Amino acid sequence: MAKLKSVLGTMWALTALPLLLVMFFGFTHWPKLLVAATGLEVSPWFTGGKVVASVDREGYAIRVHRPVFDALVGQRAKGFVQIDFVPPEGGSLPAVVEESVDVGGNPALAIRVRVDTATRTATLGASGTHVDGVEGVYGLARGLGVRVALRNPA
């Protein structure tokens, strides 16, 4: 009986080794395949949501993402909107950027933001009634992203 267990254990190890090597070397490929097959998407709470508007200014571009109030079921009472400030390829942002942003055509979500790009800080000016404040300023691959906290007007 001990010899049978030894033979079966050796066969299992020899069978599992090629499978282990395939999984290890294909690790960059398998997750992408799984995501493509299942249709999974990264939550907009991490990505900032889809870009719904883009405005070109002299020296930079503004990308406004859709307001994010998504919950597992329905919508949350509080959310955010992400606004990206992107310099041209090889360029840099001005020292201070001040912009008024219209979020979805809703005056309650109108935002006036001032961003100090050197210190990566942002302040809000006169904004809509459902705008709560700046959640944070984040460095992007190119430029800065500002997340502004909102209350759901719905």
Side-chain angles (χ1 to χ4, degrees), residues 1 7 26 29 43 50 52 76 121 131 138 140 148 150:
M1 187 68 162
V7 169
H29 181 67
S43 170
K50 295 186 181 195
V52 294
R76 297 180 186 192
T121 57
V131 177
Y138 307 96
L140 304 173
V148 178
L150 303 173

Side-chain angles (χ1 to χ4, degrees), residues 78-145:
K78 294 188 180 227
F80 69 90
V81 65
Q82 182 169 316
I83 305 163
D84 299 340
F85 299 93
V86 183
E89 190 70 40
S92 62
L93 289 170
V96 175
V97 176
E98 194 163 344
E99 287 291 337
S100 292
V101 178
D102 180 30
V103 179
N106 188 342
L109 300 178
I111 298 169
R112 178 113 180 118
V113 65
R114 182 180 191 276
V115 181
D116 185 337
T117 60
T119 61
R120 290 189 176 186
T121 57
T123 54
L124 292 179
S127 297
T129 56
H130 284 72
V131 177
D132 283 342
V134 175
E135 273 188 12
V137 180
Y138 307 96
L140 304 173
R142 271 188 40 225
L144 293 175

